[in-house]
Amino acid sequence: MAWLVLGLLLFLGAHSTRVVAEDWRGRQLARWGEKGWKGAVALVSLAGFILLIWGYGQARQAPVLLWQPPRGMNHLAALLTLVAFILLVAAYVPRNAIRARLRHPMVLSVKIWALAHLLANGTLAAVVLFGAFLIWAVVDFRAARQRDRASALQGEAGAAPLPSSALATALTVVIGAVAWAGFAFWAHGAWIGVRPLG
């Protein structure tokens, strides 16, 4: 469990500097340059990701059950993760209406993904892992929306409405649904050892 917690601290900490240390982040960007800063964040994130995956895998060897999820909760979780996959894709497909409306679909994707896994898992390790991601996503989304409002008040160009098209939006939904199906029906079982719909 200690490795899981350390991994979470590194991974989520690396993705939280705009929330908890905006001024410090700005100084590091000026000092290291954008490429240097992004490289350092990527290295810390990778180390944290490896540790949290390894730590979670170790914790699953001797699970501590806090509660037994109700029957059928895995199907609700599967539906929620479908939404999460579409939101994740929306962060990358240009000119889709989902991103234009929500502005930060990736963070919302993490929030829904974490909630879905909390509903379907009752072990201590799952609560620590997915609970940490859920709390991070809630806090990060709130901070991002506050930055959006501040930018809008200052009349910055980035705060203007984003363009969108029906084709890009439809493509986003289709890619997200296909990726979700591949993960739910094959990759989740092959890579993680749990078949959510099996």
Side-chain angles (χ1 to χ4, degrees), residues 182-196:
F183 200 79
F185 290 101
W186 177 76
H188 200 284
W191 296 347
I192 302 171
V194 176
R195 298 188 178 277

Side-chain angles (χ1 to χ4, degrees), residues 109-126:
S109 171
V110 172
K111 186 189 298 188
I112 294 172
W113 166 83
L115 175 61
H117 284 77
L118 277 174
L119 292 174
N121 295 278
T123 65
L124 177 60

Side-chain angles (χ1 to χ4, degrees), residues 15-198:
H15 290 85
S16 300
T17 54
R18 293 203 72 182
V19 178
V20 298
E22 179 75 39
D23 293 340
W24 177 83
R25 177 181 179 273
R27 291 194 300 272
Q28 302 314 307
L29 270 168
R31 179 183 174 190
W32 293 27
E34 187 173 355
K35 287 184 178 179
W37 169 253
K38 287 185 175 180
V41 170
L43 284 175
V44 173
S45 298
L46 180 60
F49 186 71
I50 291 169
L51 284 175
L52 72 88
I53 292 295
W54 187 77
Y56 186 66
Q58 292 297 307
R60 286 177 62 192
Q61 301 297 320
V64 177
L65 188 65
L66 299 179
W67 73 83
Q68 185 65 44
R71 182 179 176 85
M73 198 58 73
N74 60 321
H75 292 95
L76 174 58
L79 180 61
L80 288 172
T81 55
L82 169 59
V83 176
F85 265 84
I86 292 170
L87 288 171
L88 179 62
V89 173
Y92 295 100
V93 175
R95 299 176 60 86
N96 72 82
I98 298 170
R99 182 178 181 184
R101 177 70 178 89
L102 300 176
R103 292 269 176 177
H104 306 282
M106 180 180 288
V107 181
L108 286 173
S109 171
V110 172
K111 186 189 298 188
I112 294 172
W113 166 83
L115 175 61
H117 284 77
L118 277 174
L119 292 174
N121 295 278
T123 65
L124 177 60
V127 170
V128 170
L129 176 63
F130 302 116
F133 271 95
L134 179 59
I135 291 169
W136 172 84
V138 169
V139 172
D140 191 73
F141 185 75
R142 182 173 180 270
R145 295 298 287 180
Q146 287 176 339
R147 289 194 300 270
D148 291 344
R149 285 191 289 272
S151 296
L153 288 174
Q154 295 172 10
E156 295 179 7
L162 298 174
S164 63
S165 75
L167 178 60
T169 305
L171 189 61
T172 298
V173 173
V174 169
I175 293 173
V178 170
W180 169 84
F183 200 79
F185 290 101
W186 177 76
H188 200 284
W191 296 347
I192 302 171
V194 176
R195 298 188 178 277
L197 298 176

